[in-house]
Amino acid sequence: MASVPIIPDSYNHVLAEFECLDLLLSALRLDSSRLKCTCIAVSKRWLALGTSGGGLNLIQKDGWKQRLFLTHKEGAISRVACCLHDEDYVAVATSQGLVVVWELNQERRGKPERIYVSSEHKGRKVTALCWDRAALRVFVGDHVGKVSAIKINTSKQGKAAATFVMFPVQIITTVDSRVVQLDYLDGRLLISSLTRTYLCDTERQKFWKIGNKERDGEFGACFFPVGKNSGNQQPLIYCARPGSRMWEVNFDGEVQSTHQFKQLLSSPPLPVVTLRLDPHYTSSSCSPQSLSFPKLLYLTEHCVMTWTERGIYIFLPQSVEVLLWSEVKDIQDIAVYKSELFCLHTNGKVVHLSLLLVDRCIERLIRRGFWTLAARVCCLFQNSIISCRARKNLPLDKLEHLKSQLDASTQQDLITQLEELILKLEPLDSACSSRRSSISSHESFSVLDSGIYRVISRRGSQSDEDSCSLHSQTFSEDERLKEFPAHQEDEQGELDNVSHASVTVEADRNETFLPFSIPLSFRSPSPLVSLQAVKESVSSFVRKTTEKIGTLHISPDTRGKQEAKDEEQLQELTVNLVASPQEEKELEPQSCQLPEEDHLRDLKAATAEAITKLQDPLVLLEPQCMRRVLQEWLIYLEEKFGSKEHSASSVKKSKTVCAEEERAVLEENLRLDPTDGDPADKEQSSILEDCAEKENTDETCINKTMCENSTDLKGPLDCYFQVSPPCVIEPDVQKDLVELTTLCFELRVFSCGNGEAEESSDRSVPLASSWTLACRFMRSYFFLLDLKRLKQCIITMYATSPNVWETYIAGLKELTCHSPVALAMENEDMLKILKQLHDLGPWDDSPLLLAHAQRLYEKFGETALRPLIKFHPSILPSDIKQLCRNDPAHFLAYLDSLVKSKPENKRSSLLRSLLQPESVRLDWLCLAVSHDAPQRANTVDAEGNPRPRSHLFTWGYSQLILLLIKLPADFVTKEKMAEICRSHGFWPGYLFLCLELDRRIEAFTNIAHLDDLSLLNGEDGSIPETMEEWKFLLHLAQNHGTAFHHHGPQNGNAVSNGSPSCPDCITVENVALLLAKAIGPNRALPLLQECGLTLELSERFTGVCEILRIAEKRQRALIQSMLERCDRFLWSQQA
């Protein structure tokens, strides 16, 4: 007989179908090709089925007997929702976008009636319906993102309310895309759209966006109510994220954590127990599933359910576990009530599933006479049945009865498997029961001085206090543990309609997380947990004591070998310490011997003294005093962790020797590597801000390796990167060391250990020596530097020294050399690498991402920069500019893509946040106007004036340029930007800046040179405002018009001289017409006569002026008529 795969004992729940609804659908005539079921909802009493013909079937779940049929002439039913707190109401959405609310009148035995019809979403597709859980209010969401609320007034409120009170439809909000799911709880409305999730306080009318990262697609979200015994704990929110992830959010909309289920879903699917086919299970694991959860539904007390086109998934999100997943194909929608699932398939079929414990499932099958199916489920889940928990519902006599009901002639294999299962079961004898009842009498614990948890008996027994020795107590507890199965536990009987999953999970969680707390009022602590805790505590105490004694009595030879072994295993110990800080105390006796503690004693004392001095305001506010304090402390740091080039003896050399060495290094490096760096952008950094511990934790996890891509420094700079500490350092000590080491780098405390030498190196030594020492310092103490502050300091203080940045990037590469992304860089394509980077997120502000970005840029060039906008703000434009400083055009392409990736109303605020410090604005503007721009000879003539129509040329980064110049800035910066635009011929920006700087005469002069009347408009304030400005503009048109229209290259849609066929050129007549339209023809003619320009005007000007006069008279008459009518109306009201 072939062996049948057995489901592991970790799975004790199953989805089961006990009754087929095909006959019900056939009776409702919903199984034809003409009429199908389109939507589904469920409550405690009703199963609601909407149809494509506009009908709504309400079937009573108890026996599937009573039926109501509600008709709608407004189209097919697209959504339906039952009111859970008052099942006399149901809401329906039709295909035309109408929402109909019905009152069923079941209590008064009346006919159902429509009590409200909302046309707020008419013409749109309603995608979500949700009832308020306390009041009679329905929330509606549609495909354009509009969300409304319908408050219901019913006949139950009285005739007066039903007749005279009509509550209007309230518009809650309009989100950015289609509404995927709505959920409501305790005054909060949860809206999940295609891009993000929103939380709305409907009482105070406040809205929050949940999380910062957007998404693209159907992702659900739901509330997670707390249990009855959770005290004052607030409900949670779970939001689906790409890649089989969920956000856990508190009730205020703040993301607490991200749960990843991708790897957990690599387990094989559990079979669905159904009469349609025999259950089968394959033990081979499948690949991890990266899924998008279209909806999240709260199921029972601890579960969240979702589905995809492949199957149904049920999670325990609080403990990040997969309760089960089963393959169920072609699901269109699912409605849940407690542990019941009603699945609507794409072909219109409806399947009723129940989530329950395996033993409960088998018991129901036996009770209904499904013998073969019950036997097959027993064989598949025999690991769960063996436990005493299941045997309470499935005793031996019931299994023997099941075996007797099988056909021996045709089901011999199944009988054999069932017999093997029965042989594995032990009878629940009286001794076992007495032991269980005896142990379960324990209620609480007390903690002894040794750390042992003592079980206190409620009978007042002295047995626990009279334990003679540690050995005897350990032996007794071990023996008692051996007598019980691993999963034995008392469990109260449950009714079939109770949520079995919730009770079991609650028990497991209490036993897992509250083993030694005050006993809960509703149940006694589990005896298994009590004994297990005693055993673990005693075992841990014995093991630690033995290790400590062995460490103290170790011989010198053995200790030397042990220390050598510890140095070889330093990488493994460091990784373990960082990954699990709780194991640090257990590893101390092996990895950190007493001589090592003495080795760091002087450094610890010096560190404490330096921190105390730096807290003095007189020292803190004086940089030179800070440098002296750090210089004194640096001597101890170099003695313990310094490289061979900077040992303790070299630190104590005289000033003369130090100066000679510095000059030699300077001469050699100037000869080998001259520094001609491009100007880098500068960002202000806070020198004394708190160090970020998270990055330092990540840094110490990496092995000490040789730098792969170091700078071309020779001699003293050619050394290894120290990316991991040479010995184990306590976290508190390491935090102080990181703070002081980073402060040394920020204040350029690199050289000899005295104040005079530091002052000399800081002021008189050239810049080349400074960056040489900075690079050496980074190589020697990379494991003690705060990478975030280090990056800001390099960008700010070493902007003209690219070698410092290259050394920093080389160190980051060493930290990430064993990363999966670095290993995949050789063979994978760019899209796969970017996806892998995204899956490893969130990166937050981790500088380690820069190493991967550098590798991508080195391999794929400019094409790798544009996708990096998805990692903003983890990667800033200042970082990208450092990466591609040799090719600024690549940086501009990245910056332009980053700005354009945001909506137009958010681009200015984004760009303003990136301009830190403000000085980078001019650098970026110079780059933007000098790349992908027209030739200067085409925009500027020999005299420096604009060429006609040259403002119509296309500039590759015109949007970015306009955003930069329109941002607020001081007067001096605006003047510099105006000069940059003028010198490069970017006339739209120059005109804008001239008007903003109140240089209007200069703006009008350039407009006349550009010869475009459309530039004189009132939108940006370029139209003349005073008579003097009009006179100046008229004289410009008279003096320069002929030269503009007969000479020079034509650009854009430029034409010849300002004839009537050229209405947009700067001519006297065109400017005069603009003047007449602005101030009126009666005021314009005297001004033209004063300037002596009336002779140059044609009959066209005279005709236009007459039309303007007629229009002005009619407008005055109309205004007068309106004022008279208003006056008569006001007098009539007063009378």
Side-chain angles (χ1 to χ4, degrees), residues 17-19 275 362 364-376 402 405-406:
E17 181 186 14
F18 295 107
E19 50 193 355
L275 298 176
I362 298 172
R364 285 195 190 183
L365 292 174
I366 294 175
R367 193 164 59 237
R368 300 186 182 210
F370 302 137
W371 311 111
T372 303
L373 184 58
R376 294 189 183 279
L402 174 61
Q405 297 298 322
L406 300 178

Side-chain angles (χ1 to χ4, degrees), residues 62-267:
D62 186 9
W64 311 109
K65 295 178 181 179
Q66 185 179 358
R67 172 204 171 199
L68 295 177
F69 184 73
L70 310 177
T71 59
H72 304 80
K73 299 180 180 179
E74 295 85 0
I77 308 299
S78 60
R79 292 285 167 186
V80 60
C82 298
C83 183
L84 297 181
H85 63 88
D86 191 342
E87 294 188 284
D88 211 25
Y89 298 93
V90 62
V92 175
T94 68
S95 58
Q96 297 180 6
L98 299 178
V99 179
V100 183
V101 181
W102 289 84
E103 184 176 2
L104 304 181
N105 294 321
Q106 290 296 294
E107 297 177 358
R108 296 176 293 178
R109 299 183 180 274
K111 293 182 178 180
E113 58 180 340
R114 295 188 179 196
I115 58 175
Y116 201 96
V117 178
S118 170
S119 58
E120 186 65 37
H121 301 268
K122 187 176 181 179
R124 301 174 180 175
K125 182 181 179 181
V126 175
T127 57
L129 287 178
C130 174
W131 279 91
D132 190 326
R133 300 195 183 190
L136 290 179
R137 183 168 52 168
V138 183
F139 299 98
V140 187
D142 60 26
H143 77 285
V144 299
K146 188 176 184 179
V147 181
S148 65
I150 306 172
K151 190 172 183 181
I152 311 301
N153 59 314
T154 71
S155 59
K156 295 181 180 180
Q157 299 171 345
K159 292 184 177 180
T163 305
F164 299 107
V165 181
M166 289 296 294
F167 296 103
V169 175
Q170 178 186 5
I171 305 302
I172 300 296
T173 185
T174 300
V175 297
D176 54 359
S177 58
R178 176 162 64 93
V179 176
V180 176
Q181 188 176 1
L182 295 175
D183 198 5
Y184 184 87
L185 181 67
D186 296 344
R188 302 288 175 92
L189 178 65
L190 193 63
I191 305 173
S192 181
S193 70
L194 294 176
T195 57
R196 62 171 64 249
T197 304
Y198 302 85
L199 183 62
C200 308
D201 189 333
T202 56
E203 298 176 358
R204 295 183 294 174
Q205 297 183 352
K206 292 186 177 181
F207 303 87
W208 299 273
K209 292 181 180 179
I210 295 180
N212 296 322
K213 295 185 178 180
E214 294 186 352
R215 62 201 184 192
D216 186 12
E218 292 191 0
F219 296 91
C222 71
F223 285 106
F224 194 86
V226 296
K228 297 180 180 179
N229 303 307
S230 300
N232 297 326
Q233 181 181 356
Q234 284 191 326
L236 297 174
I237 301 171
Y238 286 99
C239 305
R241 297 292 300 168
S244 300
R245 291 180 295 172
M246 286 187 199
W247 273 346
E248 182 175 300
V249 186
N250 63 17
F251 207 53
D252 295 325
E254 300 172 350
V255 179
Q256 303 295 312
S257 58
T258 301
H259 299 328
Q260 175 64 264
F261 296 98
K262 181 178 179 180
Q263 297 296 331
L264 297 177
L265 291 175
S266 60
S267 59

Side-chain angles (χ1 to χ4, degrees), residues 906-923:
K906 297 182 180 179
R907 292 177 182 177
S908 297
S909 58
L910 170 67
L911 193 59
R912 189 173 184 179
S913 66
L914 300 177
L915 295 175
Q916 299 295 334
E918 279 288 335
S919 58
V920 302
R921 184 201 303 253
L922 299 178
D923 298 336

Side-chain angles (χ1 to χ4, degrees), residues 765-922:
V765 177
L767 181 62
S769 178
S770 177
W771 68 255
T772 301
L773 297 174
C775 293
R776 180 188 291 117
F777 190 86
M778 278 194 293
R779 290 172 177 269
S780 300
Y781 307 110
F782 203 77
F783 67 99
L784 289 178
L785 289 170
D786 184 343
L787 297 184
K788 295 180 183 178
R789 291 170 56 186
L790 182 63
K791 183 186 75 171
Q792 298 297 331
C793 181
I794 293 174
I795 293 176
T796 304
M797 301 175 61
Y798 296 95
T800 58
S801 303
N803 301 82
V804 181
W805 177 266
E806 291 176 1
T807 305
Y808 174 70
I809 292 296
L812 295 179
K813 286 184 176 180
E814 289 302 316
L815 287 176
T816 58
C817 61
H818 299 295
S819 169
V821 179
L823 300 177
M825 197 69 67
E826 298 296 331
N827 303 322
E828 301 292 344
D829 58 10
M830 185 177 68
L831 295 179
K832 292 183 179 180
I833 297 173
L834 289 170
K835 184 178 183 303
Q836 194 172 13
L837 271 179
H838 184 269
D839 293 340
L840 290 176
W843 289 93
D844 297 329
D845 297 331
S846 174
L848 300 179
L849 186 58
L850 286 178
H852 301 308
Q854 178 72 34
R855 292 188 179 98
L856 281 170
Y857 180 66
E858 291 174 354
K859 184 173 183 179
F860 301 104
E862 181 187 0
T863 56
L865 294 181
R866 295 181 185 269
L868 292 179
I869 62 176
K870 296 181 179 179
F871 297 96
H872 180 268
S874 297
I875 295 182
L876 296 173
S878 57
D879 304 328
I880 299 297
K881 188 176 181 184
Q882 291 287 344
L883 295 182
C884 52
R885 60 182 176 275
N886 296 327
D887 199 337
H890 294 176
F891 165 72
L892 277 177
Y894 167 82
L895 183 62
D896 190 58
S897 300
L898 177 62
V899 173
K900 290 180 178 178
S901 66
K902 303 296 180 182
E904 291 187 5
N905 58 341
K906 297 182 180 179
R907 292 177 182 177
S908 297
S909 58
L910 170 67
L911 193 59
R912 189 173 184 179
S913 66
L914 300 177
L915 295 175
Q916 299 295 334
E918 279 288 335
S919 58
V920 302
R921 184 201 303 253
L922 299 178

